[in-house]
Amino acid sequence: MPEDLDFSPLSDPVDPAAVLAHAERNGDRPGRDVACCALWLVFLALVFFGLISVPLSMYLTDAYPDGGFGIRILGLSPLLVGLVLVVPVVRLMRKDGAQGRISRYRIMQFAARNGLGYHWTVENPEQAAGIFTVGTRRAAGDVVAFDQPRPMEFGWYQHVTGNREMAAERWYYATTPLDAKLPHLLLNSRAKRTGVLTGGTDDALGRPDLAGPGTTVFSVSGPFGRARQIQTVLDRTLFSPDLLDRYTARPVHIEIVQNRLYLFARKPFVTTDPDDWRWIVRLLVDTAERLETPPA
């Protein structure tokens, strides 16, 4: 359990050279990426602010033909301002990128210290949950895998949706196999700003007519014609008051499919905060064990 984990790598000082080497081994090229971004920003600044500077410069030159060099500089001032603004933006991007690489390095060190598996990225991950079949450019990252106290996997999953207006969507997930045969259920949290979890599964899911306090916390989808069975399963497991309190305090979406449990959220599960790890590991294990408890 979380009490047995060594969290010191999440806060220990790190060697910048080791961080950079780790990033480059996994396909991240910080110097090249920053240079490319800087060139693109300069190009955009030239185009955007140039469209303002050129007519302004022409107008000022015509209006003040004796203005000389000062008028020309004034006309080009929007372009100069735009180019100057590129500098702090590039510096901020570089700083954020460096912080992100340090965080990922610490997570890798945390996994290694505790004998856990770690993958920087996984292209086209194979998972049972429906969201893993949606969109294009599918990839998982910062994948941390546990063997004990039970097989578990934590990470993020990202895909691209849309054709003309493409948008990247990222979910953070935690999953474990279940020693129980349960119907396919998808529980979307009703909490605000948590997004809506969708699936591309082949299973046809309806909206069973359920009752009880759990229905104010989750919107439930499940197999057609099995409302009574679903109500019974949820009442003795996920709709238990103690679990509902935890799902309300830190909202998650839940999917049970092909004898696997998934927890999803917009906020990261895999972080450098030990409290996040203690929370998500306990919640995943406690939820799974409740689902595996046979009916009385």
Side-chain angles (χ1 to χ4, degrees), residues 76-100:
L76 293 175
S77 59
L79 179 59
L80 297 175
V81 170
L83 293 175
V84 169
L85 290 176
V86 169
V87 176
V89 173
V90 171
R91 292 182 64 182
L92 182 61
M93 292 173 57
R94 183 178 181 183
K95 181 179 179 180
D96 288 346
Q99 188 58 49

PDB file of all heavy atoms in Angstrom, residues 76-100:
ATOM      1  N   LEU A  76       7.440  51.382 -37.770  1.00  0.00           N
ATOM      2  CA  LEU A  76       7.807  49.974 -37.559  1.00  0.00           C
ATOM      3  C   LEU A  76       7.673  49.541 -36.101  1.00  0.00           C
ATOM      4  O   LEU A  76       7.977  48.389 -35.771  1.00  0.00           O
ATOM      5  CB  LEU A  76       9.253  49.750 -38.023  1.00  0.00           C
ATOM      6  CG  LEU A  76       9.519  49.898 -39.528  1.00  0.00           C
ATOM      7  CD1 LEU A  76      11.005  49.764 -39.807  1.00  0.00           C
ATOM      8  CD2 LEU A  76       8.738  48.837 -40.316  1.00  0.00           C
ATOM      9  N   SER A  77       7.243  50.432 -35.242  1.00  0.00           N
ATOM     10  CA  SER A  77       7.186  50.110 -33.807  1.00  0.00           C
ATOM     11  C   SER A  77       6.309  48.888 -33.487  1.00  0.00           C
ATOM     12  O   SER A  77       6.683  48.088 -32.619  1.00  0.00           O
ATOM     13  CB  SER A  77       6.717  51.336 -33.018  1.00  0.00           C
ATOM     14  OG  SER A  77       5.439  51.762 -33.452  1.00  0.00           O
ATOM     15  N   PRO A  78       5.133  48.695 -34.140  1.00  0.00           N
ATOM     16  CA  PRO A  78       4.369  47.473 -33.824  1.00  0.00           C
ATOM     17  C   PRO A  78       5.164  46.195 -34.102  1.00  0.00           C
ATOM     18  O   PRO A  78       5.116  45.243 -33.323  1.00  0.00           O
ATOM     19  CB  PRO A  78       3.142  47.566 -34.734  1.00  0.00           C
ATOM     20  CG  PRO A  78       2.973  49.033 -34.983  1.00  0.00           C
ATOM     21  CD  PRO A  78       4.381  49.569 -35.060  1.00  0.00           C
ATOM     22  N   LEU A  79       5.912  46.215 -35.218  1.00  0.00           N
ATOM     23  CA  LEU A  79       6.714  45.037 -35.548  1.00  0.00           C
ATOM     24  C   LEU A  79       7.815  44.829 -34.521  1.00  0.00           C
ATOM     25  O   LEU A  79       8.075  43.698 -34.089  1.00  0.00           O
ATOM     26  CB  LEU A  79       7.312  45.190 -36.942  1.00  0.00           C
ATOM     27  CG  LEU A  79       8.202  44.034 -37.425  1.00  0.00           C
ATOM     28  CD1 LEU A  79       7.425  42.736 -37.439  1.00  0.00           C
ATOM     29  CD2 LEU A  79       8.756  44.344 -38.819  1.00  0.00           C
ATOM     30  N   LEU A  80       8.470  45.893 -34.112  1.00  0.00           N
ATOM     31  CA  LEU A  80       9.532  45.781 -33.114  1.00  0.00           C
ATOM     32  C   LEU A  80       8.979  45.283 -31.781  1.00  0.00           C
ATOM     33  O   LEU A  80       9.598  44.445 -31.117  1.00  0.00           O
ATOM     34  CB  LEU A  80      10.224  47.140 -32.933  1.00  0.00           C
ATOM     35  CG  LEU A  80      10.945  47.697 -34.175  1.00  0.00           C
ATOM     36  CD1 LEU A  80      11.488  49.092 -33.893  1.00  0.00           C
ATOM     37  CD2 LEU A  80      12.062  46.751 -34.591  1.00  0.00           C
ATOM     38  N   VAL A  81       7.807  45.811 -31.401  1.00  0.00           N
ATOM     39  CA  VAL A  81       7.178  45.354 -30.147  1.00  0.00           C
ATOM     40  C   VAL A  81       6.846  43.878 -30.242  1.00  0.00           C
ATOM     41  O   VAL A  81       7.061  43.109 -29.293  1.00  0.00           O
ATOM     42  CB  VAL A  81       5.913  46.187 -29.851  1.00  0.00           C
ATOM     43  CG1 VAL A  81       5.121  45.561 -28.706  1.00  0.00           C
ATOM     44  CG2 VAL A  81       6.289  47.620 -29.506  1.00  0.00           C
ATOM     45  N   GLY A  82       6.304  43.438 -31.381  1.00  0.00           N
ATOM     46  CA  GLY A  82       5.964  42.030 -31.551  1.00  0.00           C
ATOM     47  C   GLY A  82       7.171  41.126 -31.428  1.00  0.00           C
ATOM     48  O   GLY A  82       7.112  40.073 -30.778  1.00  0.00           O
ATOM     49  N   LEU A  83       8.287  41.529 -32.033  1.00  0.00           N
ATOM     50  CA  LEU A  83       9.504  40.718 -31.945  1.00  0.00           C
ATOM     51  C   LEU A  83      10.046  40.684 -30.522  1.00  0.00           C
ATOM     52  O   LEU A  83      10.571  39.657 -30.072  1.00  0.00           O
ATOM     53  CB  LEU A  83      10.554  41.271 -32.913  1.00  0.00           C
ATOM     54  CG  LEU A  83      10.219  41.126 -34.409  1.00  0.00           C
ATOM     55  CD1 LEU A  83      11.278  41.811 -35.256  1.00  0.00           C
ATOM     56  CD2 LEU A  83      10.101  39.650 -34.783  1.00  0.00           C
ATOM     57  N   VAL A  84       9.928  41.806 -29.806  1.00  0.00           N
ATOM     58  CA  VAL A  84      10.387  41.838 -28.415  1.00  0.00           C
ATOM     59  C   VAL A  84       9.535  40.908 -27.550  1.00  0.00           C
ATOM     60  O   VAL A  84      10.042  40.243 -26.644  1.00  0.00           O
ATOM     61  CB  VAL A  84      10.357  43.280 -27.873  1.00  0.00           C
ATOM     62  CG1 VAL A  84      10.573  43.291 -26.362  1.00  0.00           C
ATOM     63  CG2 VAL A  84      11.425  44.121 -28.555  1.00  0.00           C
ATOM     64  N   LEU A  85       8.218  40.853 -27.830  1.00  0.00           N
ATOM     65  CA  LEU A  85       7.331  39.995 -27.040  1.00  0.00           C
ATOM     66  C   LEU A  85       7.641  38.514 -27.219  1.00  0.00           C
ATOM     67  O   LEU A  85       7.299  37.699 -26.365  1.00  0.00           O
ATOM     68  CB  LEU A  85       5.870  40.259 -27.428  1.00  0.00           C
ATOM     69  CG  LEU A  85       5.288  41.607 -26.997  1.00  0.00           C
ATOM     70  CD1 LEU A  85       3.877  41.764 -27.530  1.00  0.00           C
ATOM     71  CD2 LEU A  85       5.299  41.740 -25.474  1.00  0.00           C
ATOM     72  N   VAL A  86       8.276  38.166 -28.328  1.00  0.00           N
ATOM     73  CA  VAL A  86       8.623  36.760 -28.557  1.00  0.00           C
ATOM     74  C   VAL A  86       9.598  36.255 -27.493  1.00  0.00           C
ATOM     75  O   VAL A  86       9.530  35.098 -27.063  1.00  0.00           O
ATOM     76  CB  VAL A  86       9.221  36.582 -29.964  1.00  0.00           C
ATOM     77  CG1 VAL A  86       9.845  35.192 -30.122  1.00  0.00           C
ATOM     78  CG2 VAL A  86       8.149  36.799 -31.021  1.00  0.00           C
ATOM     79  N   VAL A  87      10.498  37.135 -27.038  1.00  0.00           N
ATOM     80  CA  VAL A  87      11.552  36.718 -26.110  1.00  0.00           C
ATOM     81  C   VAL A  87      10.993  36.159 -24.799  1.00  0.00           C
ATOM     82  O   VAL A  87      11.334  35.032 -24.410  1.00  0.00           O
ATOM     83  CB  VAL A  87      12.527  37.888 -25.847  1.00  0.00           C
ATOM     84  CG1 VAL A  87      13.565  37.486 -24.802  1.00  0.00           C
ATOM     85  CG2 VAL A  87      13.209  38.306 -27.137  1.00  0.00           C
ATOM     86  N   PRO A  88      10.116  36.886 -24.054  1.00  0.00           N
ATOM     87  CA  PRO A  88       9.604  36.309 -22.804  1.00  0.00           C
ATOM     88  C   PRO A  88       8.738  35.063 -23.027  1.00  0.00           C
ATOM     89  O   PRO A  88       8.715  34.176 -22.183  1.00  0.00           O
ATOM     90  CB  PRO A  88       8.789  37.449 -22.182  1.00  0.00           C
ATOM     91  CG  PRO A  88       8.483  38.378 -23.296  1.00  0.00           C
ATOM     92  CD  PRO A  88       9.635  38.277 -24.241  1.00  0.00           C
ATOM     93  N   VAL A  89       8.040  35.021 -24.170  1.00  0.00           N
ATOM     94  CA  VAL A  89       7.226  33.829 -24.453  1.00  0.00           C
ATOM     95  C   VAL A  89       8.122  32.606 -24.617  1.00  0.00           C
ATOM     96  O   VAL A  89       7.845  31.528 -24.070  1.00  0.00           O
ATOM     97  CB  VAL A  89       6.357  34.053 -25.708  1.00  0.00           C
ATOM     98  CG1 VAL A  89       5.657  32.767 -26.105  1.00  0.00           C
ATOM     99  CG2 VAL A  89       5.337  35.149 -25.447  1.00  0.00           C
ATOM    100  N   VAL A  90       9.192  32.749 -25.359  1.00  0.00           N
ATOM    101  CA  VAL A  90      10.122  31.625 -25.558  1.00  0.00           C
ATOM    102  C   VAL A  90      10.770  31.228 -24.240  1.00  0.00           C
ATOM    103  O   VAL A  90      10.919  30.032 -23.942  1.00  0.00           O
ATOM    104  CB  VAL A  90      11.201  32.005 -26.601  1.00  0.00           C
ATOM    105  CG1 VAL A  90      12.294  30.947 -26.651  1.00  0.00           C
ATOM    106  CG2 VAL A  90      10.563  32.176 -27.976  1.00  0.00           C
ATOM    107  N   ARG A  91      11.139  32.214 -23.430  1.00  0.00           N
ATOM    108  CA  ARG A  91      11.739  31.903 -22.128  1.00  0.00           C
ATOM    109  C   ARG A  91      10.759  31.160 -21.235  1.00  0.00           C
ATOM    110  O   ARG A  91      11.137  30.214 -20.534  1.00  0.00           O
ATOM    111  CB  ARG A  91      12.198  33.194 -21.451  1.00  0.00           C
ATOM    112  CG  ARG A  91      13.368  33.878 -22.142  1.00  0.00           C
ATOM    113  CD  ARG A  91      13.807  35.116 -21.393  1.00  0.00           C
ATOM    114  NE  ARG A  91      14.330  34.778 -20.069  1.00  0.00           N
ATOM    115  CZ  ARG A  91      14.758  35.679 -19.187  1.00  0.00           C
ATOM    116  NH1 ARG A  91      14.713  36.968 -19.507  1.00  0.00           N
ATOM    117  NH2 ARG A  91      15.209  35.307 -18.015  1.00  0.00           N
ATOM    118  N   LEU A  92       9.478  31.566 -21.252  1.00  0.00           N
ATOM    119  CA  LEU A  92       8.467  30.883 -20.448  1.00  0.00           C
ATOM    120  C   LEU A  92       8.266  29.454 -20.934  1.00  0.00           C
ATOM    121  O   LEU A  92       8.152  28.526 -20.125  1.00  0.00           O
ATOM    122  CB  LEU A  92       7.155  31.659 -20.503  1.00  0.00           C
ATOM    123  CG  LEU A  92       5.991  31.096 -19.668  1.00  0.00           C
ATOM    124  CD1 LEU A  92       6.366  31.075 -18.187  1.00  0.00           C
ATOM    125  CD2 LEU A  92       4.727  31.925 -19.881  1.00  0.00           C
ATOM    126  N   MET A  93       8.218  29.271 -22.254  1.00  0.00           N
ATOM    127  CA  MET A  93       8.074  27.924 -22.805  1.00  0.00           C
ATOM    128  C   MET A  93       9.257  27.047 -22.410  1.00  0.00           C
ATOM    129  O   MET A  93       9.088  25.875 -22.070  1.00  0.00           O
ATOM    130  CB  MET A  93       7.951  27.993 -24.326  1.00  0.00           C
ATOM    131  CG  MET A  93       6.660  28.629 -24.814  1.00  0.00           C
ATOM    132  SD  MET A  93       6.656  28.857 -26.605  1.00  0.00           S
ATOM    133  CE  MET A  93       6.932  27.190 -27.172  1.00  0.00           C
ATOM    134  N   ARG A  94      10.438  27.627 -22.456  1.00  0.00           N
ATOM    135  CA  ARG A  94      11.640  26.861 -22.085  1.00  0.00           C
ATOM    136  C   ARG A  94      11.597  26.469 -20.616  1.00  0.00           C
ATOM    137  O   ARG A  94      11.924  25.333 -20.257  1.00  0.00           O
ATOM    138  CB  ARG A  94      12.876  27.705 -22.378  1.00  0.00           C
ATOM    139  CG  ARG A  94      14.183  26.976 -22.109  1.00  0.00           C
ATOM    140  CD  ARG A  94      15.364  27.854 -22.473  1.00  0.00           C
ATOM    141  NE  ARG A  94      16.625  27.167 -22.232  1.00  0.00           N
ATOM    142  CZ  ARG A  94      17.814  27.713 -22.411  1.00  0.00           C
ATOM    143  NH1 ARG A  94      17.904  28.956 -22.857  1.00  0.00           N
ATOM    144  NH2 ARG A  94      18.910  27.020 -22.158  1.00  0.00           N
ATOM    145  N   LYS A  95      11.154  27.420 -19.761  1.00  0.00           N
ATOM    146  CA  LYS A  95      11.070  27.134 -18.327  1.00  0.00           C
ATOM    147  C   LYS A  95      10.029  26.054 -18.043  1.00  0.00           C
ATOM    148  O   LYS A  95      10.287  25.118 -17.270  1.00  0.00           O
ATOM    149  CB  LYS A  95      10.720  28.407 -17.567  1.00  0.00           C
ATOM    150  CG  LYS A  95      10.627  28.230 -16.056  1.00  0.00           C
ATOM    151  CD  LYS A  95      10.294  29.543 -15.369  1.00  0.00           C
ATOM    152  CE  LYS A  95      10.173  29.352 -13.855  1.00  0.00           C
ATOM    153  NZ  LYS A  95       9.847  30.629 -13.173  1.00  0.00           N
ATOM    154  N   ASP A  96       8.851  26.166 -18.669  1.00  0.00           N
ATOM    155  CA  ASP A  96       7.802  25.160 -18.462  1.00  0.00           C
ATOM    156  C   ASP A  96       8.244  23.793 -18.961  1.00  0.00           C
ATOM    157  O   ASP A  96       7.980  22.771 -18.328  1.00  0.00           O
ATOM    158  CB  ASP A  96       6.517  25.589 -19.187  1.00  0.00           C
ATOM    159  CG  ASP A  96       5.829  26.756 -18.502  1.00  0.00           C
ATOM    160  OD1 ASP A  96       6.195  27.058 -17.344  1.00  0.00           O
ATOM    161  OD2 ASP A  96       4.943  27.367 -19.119  1.00  0.00           O
ATOM    162  N   GLY A  97       8.919  23.782 -20.112  1.00  0.00           N
ATOM    163  CA  GLY A  97       9.400  22.514 -20.646  1.00  0.00           C
ATOM    164  C   GLY A  97      10.418  21.868 -19.722  1.00  0.00           C
ATOM    165  O   GLY A  97      10.385  20.653 -19.490  1.00  0.00           O
ATOM    166  N   ALA A  98      11.325  22.674 -19.176  1.00  0.00           N
ATOM    167  CA  ALA A  98      12.334  22.147 -18.260  1.00  0.00           C
ATOM    168  C   ALA A  98      11.690  21.594 -16.998  1.00  0.00           C
ATOM    169  O   ALA A  98      12.072  20.528 -16.501  1.00  0.00           O
ATOM    170  CB  ALA A  98      13.343  23.236 -17.908  1.00  0.00           C
ATOM    171  N   GLN A  99      10.678  22.309 -16.466  1.00  0.00           N
ATOM    172  CA  GLN A  99       9.994  21.835 -15.264  1.00  0.00           C
ATOM    173  C   GLN A  99       9.257  20.536 -15.535  1.00  0.00           C
ATOM    174  O   GLN A  99       9.243  19.629 -14.705  1.00  0.00           O
ATOM    175  CB  GLN A  99       9.009  22.900 -14.770  1.00  0.00           C
ATOM    176  CG  GLN A  99       8.389  22.581 -13.415  1.00  0.00           C
ATOM    177  CD  GLN A  99       9.433  22.409 -12.330  1.00  0.00           C
ATOM    178  OE1 GLN A  99      10.317  23.247 -12.178  1.00  0.00           O
ATOM    179  NE2 GLN A  99       9.345  21.310 -11.583  1.00  0.00           N
ATOM    180  N   GLY A 100       8.658  20.435 -16.714  1.00  0.00           N
ATOM    181  CA  GLY A 100       7.969  19.197 -17.067  1.00  0.00           C
ATOM    182  C   GLY A 100       8.919  18.022 -17.169  1.00  0.00           C
ATOM    183  O   GLY A 100       8.604  16.907 -16.722  1.00  0.00           O
TER     184      GLY A 100
END
